[in-house]
Amino acid sequence: MTHSITAQVGSNREVSPQIYRMALKLPQRKITGQPGQFVHLRLLQGTTASILRRPFSIHRLTSGRLWLLYQVKGTVTRAMASLTPRDSVELMVPLGNGYRINRSRQEHLLVAGGMGLAPMLFMADHLKKVGLKHRILFGCRSSSYLLPAPTGCRVASDDGSCGVRGPVTCLLEAEFSRCNNAAVYACGPWPMLRATASLCRRYKVPCQVSLESFMACGVGACQGCAIRAADGEYLTVCNQGPVFDAELIDWTQEHTV
Ligand code: FES
């Protein structure tokens, strides 16, 4: 069930250059969510940034707190970075669908590119809770873009300044050569998702991807977030996704957010 709530900021810290982690205090009402679902956030301060809502993956969720991991790159996120524990924001939560755990598989590989790490910590918490073996594979451009991740996370960087040199799919392919009964859950930029989907198809590994898109309404009303499916039809990322089976998507299209 989706709730519309006002949530007070608990903390809001820069954890890496221009990357912030915000904890929001949830009201008494029970808010639940699945890894991969997102919130639509609106600022309450009287600035132009408060006119539109913005989608953010749920980074972590406990009974009293919801965390967001966000990058400062526009008016809204700049305004968010200035929020303090005296401030509140308005949220619609949770929205969209989440990752479906493929229990027929022995190992669960969480593949994150850059800010795609945001939903993967929630996913890792969830898999740990239900006792399923998992590993996070994280790819970034360089050590300047490294994000705080749990110990045991494998890292790849384009320039080799942290982890192994190369795309995150190098790490994924190494995992496939070790384990032939894995399921993949991916989130990140479109080219990385396309490469991940292609590799999974080649190794016949089930793969779910979380897609990003521009979102105005967040609830399937405006069609602004539509993406072309493999069958030529269109899917709305906000309410039919953001998580899709990789096989459902037409990966030949260009998609920028
Ligand atoms: Fe309006 Fe998806 S954002 S339909």
Side-chain angles (χ1 to χ4, degrees):
M1 181 183 172
T2 302
H3 301 272
S4 181
I5 60 169
T6 300
Q8 196 185 347
V9 175
S11 62
N12 190 24
R13 295 197 188 94
E14 191 172 26
V15 291
S16 198
Q18 297 299 297
I19 312 286
Y20 284 71
R21 185 187 285 137
M22 179 186 286
L24 294 165
K25 296 182 190 171
L26 297 174
Q28 291 302 328
R29 198 166 359 157
K30 181 110 178 113
I31 307 278
T32 57
Q34 295 295 319
Q37 288 189 298
F38 67 97
V39 304
H40 224 194
L41 177 147
R42 192 173 74 81
L43 297 170
L44 294 173
Q45 280 66 23
T47 66
T48 49
S50 68
I51 297 169
L52 288 176
R53 292 179 178 275
R54 287 284 184 275
F56 296 94
S57 293
I58 300 174
H59 179 50
R60 269 192 160 140
L61 182 63
T62 63
S63 55
R65 289 272 196 284
L66 183 148
W67 281 265
L68 304 176
L69 185 73
Y70 64 96
Q71 181 172 27
V72 176
K73 59 175 187 182
T75 321
V76 173
T77 46
R78 226 182 346 267
M80 283 170 69
S82 67
L83 296 180
T84 71
R86 288 189 304 277
D87 299 313
S88 295
V89 298
E90 198 182 284
L91 291 181
M92 283 170 69
V93 56
L95 289 172
N97 63 6
Y99 292 103
R100 283 162 287 105
I101 309 295
N102 191 332
R103 287 181 180 268
S104 66
R105 296 281 156 159
Q106 280 171 356
E107 199 153 333
H108 301 270
L109 301 173
L110 315 185
V111 184
M115 292 304 294
L117 186 68
M120 292 312 184
L121 267 60
F122 188 17
M123 183 66 170
D125 287 346
H126 185 68
L127 290 167
K128 198 168 163 188
K129 206 181 296 176
V130 297
L132 292 173
K133 197 171 166 194
H134 64 276
R135 174 164 288 158
I136 298 179
L137 311 178
F138 175 70
C140 57
R141 275 187 265 173
S142 71
S143 56
S144 324
Y145 296 87
L146 193 59
L147 297 177
T151 45
C153 169
R154 302 243 159 108
V155 176
S157 57
D158 294 346
D159 66 358
S161 55
C162 55
V164 303
R165 181 190 293 269
V168 71
T169 43
C170 291
L171 298 176
L172 185 59
E173 194 156 15
E175 294 292 331
F176 288 166
S177 60
R178 189 185 54 77
C179 165
N180 63 3
N181 193 9
V184 167
Y185 311 84
C187 185
W190 179 259
M192 179 225 116
L193 293 179
R194 176 159 47 198
T196 301
S198 163
L199 191 65
C200 289
R201 192 176 316 121
R202 182 144 59 89
Y203 280 84
K204 298 187 171 43
V205 174
C207 173
Q208 295 170 50
V209 292
S210 175
L211 300 183
E212 265 195 279
S213 192
F214 292 110
M215 288 186 194
C217 72
V219 291
C222 72
Q223 304 293 302
C225 62
I227 192 141
R228 199 167 63 242
D231 64 3
E233 298 294 319
Y234 281 83
L235 297 163
T236 45
V237 173
C238 67
N239 68 335
Q240 293 178 283
V243 177
F244 297 96
D245 280 334
E247 292 299 315
L248 284 181
I249 304 301
D250 176 359
W251 293 104
T252 64
Q253 69 199 297
E254 288 309 321
H255 178 64
T256 48
V257 180

